Short mmCIF file of all heavy atoms in Angstrom, two decimals:
data_model
loop_
_atom_site.label_atom_id
_atom_site.label_comp_id
_atom_site.label_asym_id
_atom_site.label_seq_id
_atom_site.Cartn_x
_atom_site.Cartn_y
_atom_site.Cartn_z
N ALA F 546 18.90 19.78 45.74
CA ALA F 546 19.67 18.62 45.35
C ALA F 546 20.47 18.86 44.06
O ALA F 546 21.58 18.33 43.91
CB ALA F 546 18.76 17.40 45.20
N ALA F 547 19.92 19.63 43.11
CA ALA F 547 20.65 19.89 41.87
C ALA F 547 21.95 20.68 42.12
O ALA F 547 22.96 20.38 41.53
CB ALA F 547 19.75 20.67 40.92
N LEU F 548 21.88 21.65 43.05
CA LEU F 548 23.06 22.39 43.38
C LEU F 548 24.10 21.49 44.04
O LEU F 548 25.30 21.59 43.73
CB LEU F 548 22.73 23.57 44.31
CG LEU F 548 23.92 24.43 44.68
CD1 LEU F 548 23.90 25.72 43.87
CD2 LEU F 548 23.92 24.74 46.15
N VAL F 549 23.66 20.62 44.93
CA VAL F 549 24.57 19.69 45.59
C VAL F 549 25.25 18.80 44.57
O VAL F 549 26.45 18.57 44.62
CB VAL F 549 23.82 18.86 46.68
CG1 VAL F 549 24.73 17.83 47.27
CG2 VAL F 549 23.27 19.78 47.77
N ARG F 550 24.49 18.26 43.64
CA ARG F 550 25.07 17.39 42.60
C ARG F 550 26.09 18.13 41.74
O ARG F 550 27.16 17.60 41.43
CB ARG F 550 23.94 16.84 41.69
CG ARG F 550 23.21 15.64 42.29
CD ARG F 550 22.31 14.96 41.26
NE ARG F 550 21.35 15.85 40.63
CZ ARG F 550 20.18 16.18 41.16
NH1 ARG F 550 19.79 15.69 42.31
NH2 ARG F 550 19.36 17.01 40.52
N LYS F 551 25.76 19.36 41.36
CA LYS F 551 26.68 20.15 40.54
C LYS F 551 27.96 20.42 41.34
O LYS F 551 29.09 20.28 40.82
CB LYS F 551 26.00 21.45 40.14
CG LYS F 551 26.83 22.27 39.19
CD LYS F 551 26.02 23.44 38.65
CE LYS F 551 26.71 24.01 37.44
NZ LYS F 551 25.84 24.87 36.68
N PHE F 552 27.83 20.82 42.59
CA PHE F 552 28.99 21.10 43.47
C PHE F 552 29.83 19.86 43.58
O PHE F 552 31.08 19.87 43.52
CB PHE F 552 28.48 21.61 44.80
CG PHE F 552 29.50 22.18 45.74
CD1 PHE F 552 29.07 22.69 46.94
CD2 PHE F 552 30.84 22.26 45.45
CE1 PHE F 552 29.97 23.25 47.84
CE2 PHE F 552 31.75 22.81 46.35
CZ PHE F 552 31.31 23.31 47.56
N ASP F 553 29.21 18.70 43.79
CA ASP F 553 29.94 17.44 43.95
C ASP F 553 30.65 17.07 42.65
O ASP F 553 31.77 16.54 42.70
CB ASP F 553 29.01 16.32 44.40
CG ASP F 553 29.83 15.12 44.88
OD1 ASP F 553 30.68 15.31 45.78
OD2 ASP F 553 29.65 14.03 44.35
N GLY F 554 30.09 17.38 41.54
CA GLY F 554 30.79 17.16 40.27
C GLY F 554 32.06 18.01 40.17
O GLY F 554 33.10 17.55 39.68
N PHE F 555 31.97 19.23 40.67
CA PHE F 555 33.16 20.09 40.69
C PHE F 555 34.20 19.54 41.69
O PHE F 555 35.39 19.65 41.44
CB PHE F 555 32.76 21.53 41.05
CG PHE F 555 32.06 22.27 39.96
CD1 PHE F 555 30.89 22.96 40.23
CD2 PHE F 555 32.55 22.28 38.65
CE1 PHE F 555 30.24 23.66 39.23
CE2 PHE F 555 31.90 22.95 37.65
CZ PHE F 555 30.74 23.64 37.94
N ARG F 556 33.72 18.94 42.77
CA ARG F 556 34.65 18.33 43.71
C ARG F 556 35.43 17.20 43.02
O ARG F 556 36.67 17.11 43.19
CB ARG F 556 33.91 17.73 44.92
CG ARG F 556 34.81 16.98 45.93
CD ARG F 556 34.00 16.21 46.96
NE ARG F 556 33.17 15.18 46.39
CZ ARG F 556 33.60 13.95 46.06
NH1 ARG F 556 34.88 13.61 46.20
NH2 ARG F 556 32.76 13.09 45.57
N ARG F 557 34.75 16.37 42.26
CA ARG F 557 35.41 15.30 41.56
C ARG F 557 36.43 15.84 40.54
O ARG F 557 37.57 15.34 40.43
CB ARG F 557 34.42 14.40 40.85
CG ARG F 557 33.64 13.53 41.80
CD ARG F 557 32.80 12.49 41.05
NE ARG F 557 31.74 12.06 41.91
CZ ARG F 557 30.46 12.42 41.80
NH1 ARG F 557 30.09 13.19 40.81
NH2 ARG F 557 29.57 11.98 42.64
N LYS F 558 36.07 16.89 39.82
CA LYS F 558 36.95 17.51 38.87
C LYS F 558 38.17 18.11 39.59
O LYS F 558 39.30 17.91 39.16
CB LYS F 558 36.20 18.62 38.09
CG LYS F 558 37.01 19.35 37.08
CD LYS F 558 37.18 18.52 35.82
CE LYS F 558 37.73 19.37 34.71
NZ LYS F 558 37.47 18.72 33.40
N ARG F 559 37.93 18.76 40.70
CA ARG F 559 39.01 19.36 41.46
C ARG F 559 39.99 18.26 41.98
O ARG F 559 41.19 18.46 41.94
CB ARG F 559 38.46 20.13 42.64
CG ARG F 559 39.49 20.76 43.52
CD ARG F 559 39.51 20.02 44.80
NE ARG F 559 40.52 20.51 45.70
CZ ARG F 559 41.02 19.79 46.68
NH1 ARG F 559 40.62 18.55 46.84
NH2 ARG F 559 41.92 20.26 47.47
N ASN F 560 39.46 17.11 42.39
CA ASN F 560 40.32 16.03 42.81
C ASN F 560 41.23 15.54 41.67
O ASN F 560 42.40 15.26 41.88
CB ASN F 560 39.52 14.87 43.39
CG ASN F 560 38.96 15.16 44.77
OD1 ASN F 560 39.31 16.15 45.40
ND2 ASN F 560 38.07 14.29 45.22
N ARG F 561 40.64 15.42 40.49
CA ARG F 561 41.42 14.98 39.36
C ARG F 561 42.51 16.01 39.01
O ARG F 561 43.66 15.67 38.74
CB ARG F 561 40.55 14.70 38.15
CG ARG F 561 39.71 13.45 38.29
CD ARG F 561 39.01 13.01 37.01
NE ARG F 561 38.21 14.05 36.37
CZ ARG F 561 36.93 14.32 36.67
NH1 ARG F 561 36.32 13.64 37.61
NH2 ARG F 561 36.27 15.26 36.02
N VAL F 562 42.14 17.29 39.05
CA VAL F 562 43.07 18.38 38.76
C VAL F 562 44.20 18.42 39.80
O VAL F 562 45.36 18.59 39.48
CB VAL F 562 42.35 19.74 38.70
CG1 VAL F 562 43.33 20.92 38.68
CG2 VAL F 562 41.42 19.81 37.51
N SER F 563 43.87 18.16 41.05
CA SER F 563 44.83 18.30 42.13
C SER F 563 45.69 17.06 42.37
O SER F 563 46.86 17.17 42.71
CB SER F 563 44.07 18.59 43.46
OG SER F 563 43.42 19.82 43.35
N TYR F 564 45.12 15.87 42.20
CA TYR F 564 45.79 14.67 42.65
C TYR F 564 46.14 13.66 41.55
O TYR F 564 47.03 12.83 41.72
CB TYR F 564 44.96 13.95 43.71
CG TYR F 564 44.60 14.82 44.89
CD1 TYR F 564 43.28 15.09 45.20
CD2 TYR F 564 45.59 15.37 45.67
CE1 TYR F 564 42.96 15.89 46.27
CE2 TYR F 564 45.27 16.17 46.75
CZ TYR F 564 43.97 16.42 47.05
OH TYR F 564 43.65 17.22 48.13
N ASP F 565 45.44 13.71 40.45
CA ASP F 565 45.64 12.73 39.37
C ASP F 565 46.46 13.39 38.30
O ASP F 565 47.02 14.47 38.45
CB ASP F 565 44.32 12.24 38.84
CG ASP F 565 43.52 11.48 39.87
OD1 ASP F 565 44.12 10.94 40.81
OD2 ASP F 565 42.29 11.42 39.71
N ALA F 566 46.51 12.74 37.15
CA ALA F 566 47.18 13.27 36.03
C ALA F 566 46.49 14.59 35.62
O ALA F 566 45.29 14.75 35.88
CB ALA F 566 47.12 12.30 34.83
N PRO F 567 47.22 15.54 35.04
CA PRO F 567 46.60 16.79 34.70
C PRO F 567 45.32 16.60 33.86
O PRO F 567 45.29 15.79 32.92
CB PRO F 567 47.68 17.52 33.89
CG PRO F 567 48.96 16.86 34.31
CD PRO F 567 48.61 15.45 34.65
N VAL F 568 44.32 17.31 34.23
CA VAL F 568 43.01 17.26 33.55
C VAL F 568 42.68 18.69 33.16
O VAL F 568 42.80 19.63 33.99
CB VAL F 568 41.93 16.72 34.49
CG1 VAL F 568 40.57 16.77 33.82
CG2 VAL F 568 42.24 15.30 34.91
N ALA F 569 42.27 18.90 31.98
CA ALA F 569 41.95 20.24 31.52
C ALA F 569 40.66 20.76 32.20
O ALA F 569 39.71 20.01 32.40
CB ALA F 569 41.75 20.25 30.00
N VAL F 570 40.71 22.00 32.57
CA VAL F 570 39.54 22.69 33.08
C VAL F 570 39.16 23.72 32.01
O VAL F 570 40.00 24.50 31.57
CB VAL F 570 39.86 23.42 34.39
CG1 VAL F 570 38.70 24.26 34.86
CG2 VAL F 570 40.23 22.39 35.50
N SER F 571 37.93 23.76 31.66
CA SER F 571 37.48 24.70 30.62
C SER F 571 37.15 26.05 31.26
O SER F 571 36.88 26.14 32.46
CB SER F 571 36.28 24.14 29.90
OG SER F 571 35.14 24.16 30.73
N GLU F 572 37.13 27.07 30.42
CA GLU F 572 36.69 28.39 30.89
C GLU F 572 35.26 28.33 31.38
O GLU F 572 34.91 28.97 32.39
CB GLU F 572 36.81 29.40 29.74
CG GLU F 572 38.20 29.79 29.37
CD GLU F 572 38.91 30.70 30.39
OE1 GLU F 572 38.23 31.30 31.25
OE2 GLU F 572 40.14 30.76 30.34
#
């Protein structure tokens, strides 16, 4: 479940990066 939660957090970040206003992604 922890891996799934982490992956889903990255999904949300990716959606913001792709579809919303530019969002910074850290190294």
Side-chain angles (χ1 to χ4, degrees):
L548 182 104
V549 174
R550 281 191 304 277
K551 187 170 196 167
F552 191 179
D553 194 55
F555 288 131
R556 176 190 62 81
R557 287 190 201 104
K558 179 78 166 199
R559 179 252 178 202
N560 285 351
R561 289 191 306 275
V562 169
S563 298
Y564 304 119
D565 296 336
V568 174
V570 173
S571 71
E572 288 288 342

